[in-house]
Short mmCIF file of all heavy atoms in Angstrom, two decimals:
data_model
loop_
_atom_site.label_atom_id
_atom_site.label_comp_id
_atom_site.label_asym_id
_atom_site.label_seq_id
_atom_site.Cartn_x
_atom_site.Cartn_y
_atom_site.Cartn_z
N LYS A 397 2.76 -7.10 19.97
CA LYS A 397 1.45 -6.57 20.30
C LYS A 397 1.05 -5.45 19.38
O LYS A 397 -0.12 -5.19 19.20
CB LYS A 397 1.52 -6.04 21.77
CG LYS A 397 1.63 -7.14 22.84
CD LYS A 397 1.68 -6.57 24.22
CE LYS A 397 1.81 -7.65 25.21
NZ LYS A 397 1.92 -7.07 26.67
N ASP A 398 2.04 -4.78 18.78
CA ASP A 398 1.74 -3.66 17.90
C ASP A 398 2.76 -3.60 16.81
O ASP A 398 3.98 -3.83 17.01
CB ASP A 398 1.80 -2.37 18.78
CG ASP A 398 1.39 -1.13 17.95
OD1 ASP A 398 0.18 -0.94 17.78
OD2 ASP A 398 2.30 -0.43 17.44
N PHE A 399 2.32 -3.27 15.58
CA PHE A 399 3.24 -3.13 14.44
C PHE A 399 4.16 -1.90 14.50
O PHE A 399 5.21 -1.87 13.87
CB PHE A 399 2.45 -3.13 13.12
CG PHE A 399 3.25 -3.16 11.87
CD1 PHE A 399 4.01 -4.30 11.51
CD2 PHE A 399 3.34 -2.09 11.05
CE1 PHE A 399 4.80 -4.30 10.41
CE2 PHE A 399 4.14 -2.05 9.92
CZ PHE A 399 4.89 -3.14 9.60
N LYS A 400 3.74 -0.91 15.28
CA LYS A 400 4.51 0.33 15.48
C LYS A 400 4.52 1.23 14.26
O LYS A 400 5.48 2.02 14.11
CB LYS A 400 5.88 -0.02 15.94
CG LYS A 400 5.94 -0.84 17.27
CD LYS A 400 7.42 -1.04 17.62
CE LYS A 400 7.50 -1.95 18.90
NZ LYS A 400 8.89 -2.21 19.29
N GLY A 401 3.51 1.08 13.43
CA GLY A 401 3.49 1.99 12.24
C GLY A 401 2.24 1.86 11.47
O GLY A 401 1.38 0.92 11.74
N ASN A 402 2.01 2.68 10.51
CA ASN A 402 0.80 2.59 9.66
C ASN A 402 0.91 1.38 8.73
O ASN A 402 1.99 1.02 8.30
CB ASN A 402 0.68 3.88 8.81
CG ASN A 402 0.39 5.04 9.64
OD1 ASN A 402 -0.23 5.00 10.70
ND2 ASN A 402 0.93 6.22 9.24
N VAL A 403 -0.23 0.77 8.45
CA VAL A 403 -0.33 -0.34 7.55
C VAL A 403 -1.31 -0.03 6.44
O VAL A 403 -2.46 0.19 6.77
CB VAL A 403 -0.70 -1.64 8.24
CG1 VAL A 403 -0.84 -2.81 7.27
CG2 VAL A 403 0.33 -1.98 9.34
N PRO A 404 -0.95 -0.08 5.16
CA PRO A 404 0.44 -0.28 4.69
C PRO A 404 1.31 0.95 4.88
O PRO A 404 0.85 2.10 4.77
CB PRO A 404 0.25 -0.59 3.23
CG PRO A 404 -0.98 0.22 2.85
CD PRO A 404 -1.87 0.15 4.04
N GLY A 405 2.61 0.71 5.09
CA GLY A 405 3.50 1.81 5.29
C GLY A 405 3.99 2.43 3.98
O GLY A 405 4.41 3.60 3.95
N ARG A 406 3.90 1.70 2.92
CA ARG A 406 4.35 2.15 1.58
C ARG A 406 3.27 1.88 0.50
O ARG A 406 3.49 1.10 -0.39
CB ARG A 406 5.67 1.49 1.13
CG ARG A 406 6.82 1.81 2.12
CD ARG A 406 8.12 1.19 1.56
NE ARG A 406 9.20 1.49 2.50
CZ ARG A 406 9.63 0.70 3.52
NH1 ARG A 406 8.96 -0.45 3.76
NH2 ARG A 406 10.66 1.04 4.27
N PRO A 407 2.07 2.47 0.67
CA PRO A 407 0.99 2.18 -0.26
C PRO A 407 1.31 2.55 -1.74
O PRO A 407 0.72 2.07 -2.68
CB PRO A 407 -0.17 3.01 0.25
CG PRO A 407 0.51 4.15 1.03
CD PRO A 407 1.74 3.48 1.65
N ASP A 408 2.27 3.49 -1.94
CA ASP A 408 2.53 4.05 -3.22
C ASP A 408 3.27 3.05 -4.16
O ASP A 408 3.27 3.28 -5.36
CB ASP A 408 3.37 5.29 -3.11
CG ASP A 408 4.67 5.09 -2.37
OD1 ASP A 408 4.60 4.65 -1.19
OD2 ASP A 408 5.80 5.35 -2.86
N ILE A 409 3.83 1.97 -3.61
CA ILE A 409 4.57 1.03 -4.48
C ILE A 409 3.69 -0.01 -5.13
O ILE A 409 4.21 -0.77 -5.94
CB ILE A 409 5.69 0.34 -3.73
CG1 ILE A 409 5.12 -0.64 -2.63
CG2 ILE A 409 6.66 1.33 -3.04
CD1 ILE A 409 6.15 -1.54 -1.95
N LEU A 410 2.44 -0.05 -4.76
CA LEU A 410 1.53 -1.08 -5.30
C LEU A 410 0.48 -0.53 -6.11
O LEU A 410 -0.28 0.38 -5.71
CB LEU A 410 0.88 -1.86 -4.05
CG LEU A 410 -0.18 -2.92 -4.43
CD1 LEU A 410 0.49 -4.05 -5.20
CD2 LEU A 410 -0.83 -3.46 -3.20
N ILE A 411 0.32 -1.11 -7.35
CA ILE A 411 -0.86 -0.87 -8.20
C ILE A 411 -1.52 -2.22 -8.24
O ILE A 411 -1.04 -3.14 -8.85
CB ILE A 411 -0.35 -0.44 -9.64
CG1 ILE A 411 0.32 0.93 -9.56
CG2 ILE A 411 -1.61 -0.27 -10.50
CD1 ILE A 411 0.91 1.41 -10.93
N SER A 412 -2.63 -2.28 -7.57
CA SER A 412 -3.20 -3.57 -7.30
C SER A 412 -3.96 -4.15 -8.47
O SER A 412 -3.71 -5.24 -8.94
CB SER A 412 -4.18 -3.49 -6.03
OG SER A 412 -4.68 -4.75 -5.73
N THR A 413 -4.96 -3.43 -9.06
CA THR A 413 -5.84 -3.94 -10.06
C THR A 413 -5.64 -3.20 -11.37
O THR A 413 -4.96 -2.17 -11.45
CB THR A 413 -7.28 -3.83 -9.62
OG1 THR A 413 -7.64 -2.41 -9.63
CG2 THR A 413 -7.57 -4.40 -8.30
N SER A 414 -6.31 -3.75 -12.43
CA SER A 414 -6.24 -3.12 -13.72
C SER A 414 -6.83 -1.71 -13.69
O SER A 414 -6.40 -0.75 -14.35
CB SER A 414 -6.87 -3.97 -14.77
OG SER A 414 -6.23 -5.17 -14.85
N ALA A 415 -7.94 -1.56 -12.89
CA ALA A 415 -8.56 -0.25 -12.72
C ALA A 415 -7.60 0.75 -12.11
O ALA A 415 -7.49 1.91 -12.46
CB ALA A 415 -9.82 -0.41 -11.95
N ASP A 416 -6.86 0.26 -11.11
CA ASP A 416 -5.85 1.10 -10.43
C ASP A 416 -4.77 1.53 -11.43
O ASP A 416 -4.26 2.64 -11.39
CB ASP A 416 -5.19 0.35 -9.22
CG ASP A 416 -6.19 0.08 -8.16
OD1 ASP A 416 -7.19 0.82 -7.99
OD2 ASP A 416 -5.96 -0.94 -7.40
N LEU A 417 -4.40 0.60 -12.34
CA LEU A 417 -3.38 0.95 -13.37
C LEU A 417 -3.92 2.05 -14.31
O LEU A 417 -3.14 3.00 -14.58
CB LEU A 417 -3.05 -0.29 -14.18
CG LEU A 417 -2.03 -0.05 -15.26
CD1 LEU A 417 -0.70 0.47 -14.78
CD2 LEU A 417 -1.79 -1.39 -16.09
N LEU A 418 -5.09 1.96 -14.70
CA LEU A 418 -5.71 3.05 -15.58
C LEU A 418 -5.67 4.37 -14.84
O LEU A 418 -5.34 5.40 -15.44
CB LEU A 418 -7.13 2.69 -15.96
CG LEU A 418 -7.32 1.50 -16.96
CD1 LEU A 418 -8.80 1.37 -17.32
CD2 LEU A 418 -6.43 1.66 -18.15
N ALA A 419 -5.94 4.31 -13.51
CA ALA A 419 -5.96 5.58 -12.76
C ALA A 419 -4.51 6.12 -12.67
O ALA A 419 -4.31 7.37 -12.77
CB ALA A 419 -6.50 5.27 -11.37
N ALA A 420 -3.56 5.24 -12.53
CA ALA A 420 -2.14 5.66 -12.43
C ALA A 420 -1.71 6.24 -13.75
O ALA A 420 -0.92 7.23 -13.81
CB ALA A 420 -1.31 4.52 -12.00
#
């Protein structure tokens, strides 16, 4: 019924797009 945590729980491990990569 519930994931019991924030989603995503580890947002820092993902660089999604090329624009995100430039920002990183």
Side-chain angles (χ1 to χ4, degrees):
K397 294 181 180 180
D398 186 80
F399 184 69
K400 300 180 183 179
N402 295 326
V403 177
R406 298 184 180 91
D408 56 304
I409 67 170
L410 176 65
I411 298 175
S412 185
T413 68
S414 298
D416 294 333
L417 177 60
L418 291 185

